[in-house]
Amino acid sequence: MAVGSVPEAVAKLLEVTEQALWNGIAQARNGNRLGDVGHAVEETARPHRYGVVRDYVLPRRRLLAPAPRLRALHGVDLAVGAGQSVAVVGESGCGKSTLARTVLALEAPSAGTVRLLGRDLFALPPAELRAMRRHVQMVFQDPYGSLDPRRKVGWIVAEPLDALERVRDRGERRERVAEALGSVGLKAGDAEKFPHEFSGGQRQRIAIARALITRPGLIVADEPVSALDVSVQAQVLNLLADLQERLGLSYLLISHDLAVVRHVAEEVAVMYLGRIVEQGPTSAVFADPLHPYTKALLEAVPRVGRARRRRATIAGETPGLEPLANGQETGCPFAPRCPLAEAHCHAEAPALAPRDGDREAACHLA
């Protein structure tokens, strides 16, 4: 995805195009992988790259000193295809949830572009942005906290209709609610119940129904099963897979559970301190990780029947984000903890570059 005039600091893309989402659904249902969504629009290998950077301004330490900035996202590049599941994994604090909020247009990027249906979300007038929000919906982590306990399920599921589509006809509203509940295995009569009358897995089904009611093309799922029992997790994951097959949905899955990612996602992006350090097909990344951080994450996953051996570990704790010094950073962010780091790793930050065809890694030694 190269554009000659784009600065190096703005090097990444979050894009879901209209043709890939809607005209490509039939291909996705047949199992054809669209990969980068640009492939469905243009015949060039990787068209149009834009960068997503998110800075937070901190309080001034002195009256006349410039306000320091904390960079939570460092030019994240991610594309989601029609009917495709893309997972973003990493330790807590690496920027996964910030990325999700940016994709949902809840936070504006400091630089770069978020594109949905071929349009730059943050260049749209407020009325058009509101209309675009129905095409991307969210499933939250906590099925207990994300549902209003004072409201009936029918009102909860229909709330996006009231906010984004202004559906006033009561009959149509009831039909859409019944359709959404039915798609997740619940009954139309459940609309008259309150959230406390359901189990945790059923509550997450209600949350998924609420996300589906506007008939979106992309669903952002932030740890959708981490608050559920293991047996219930499998049910919800199978439901998500079934909905994707039937409706041609695209998923952006935010998770730190690598077992869930391996089961659900076709593509995976590994984040460390606001950067994507490795991405590619899930099967390839899990079978042969290229980045030392990815290798350490996979080593931490328990495996039944694996012979006892000493696991590779990462020295030290995950460092907190530090204010940018003069607006710049030097060296690989993982170098202080990397067991393979060399002198130039501390002096020069590696770029996310193609490795082995459809894989990318940001490591001098990969």
Side-chain angles (χ1 to χ4, degrees), residues 30 34 40 52 82 96 112 118 147 181 188 194 201 206 216 228 236 249 252 266 276 279 341 347 357 366:
N30 290 332
L34 295 178
V52 175
K96 301 187 302 293
L147 305 179
L181 290 175
F194 288 92
I206 294 169
L228 305 176
V236 173
L249 294 171
L252 178 60
E266 304 162 44
I276 291 181
Q279 68 182 71

Side-chain angles (χ1 to χ4, degrees), residues 45-61:
R46 293 177 68 83
H48 303 309
R49 169 171 284 184
Y50 301 93
V52 175
V53 175
R54 183 66 173 105
D55 291 344
Y56 292 96
V57 179
L58 303 179
R60 289 183 173 86
R61 297 175 180 174

Side-chain angles (χ1 to χ4, degrees), residues 178-208:
E179 176 189 352
L181 290 175
S183 67
V184 298
L186 298 176
K187 300 177 182 179
D190 291 331
E192 297 303 316
K193 299 179 181 179
F194 288 92
H196 72 268
E197 300 179 63
F198 297 89
S199 66
Q202 290 174 321
R203 292 189 191 195
Q204 196 65 308
R205 288 172 182 264
I206 294 169
I208 295 171

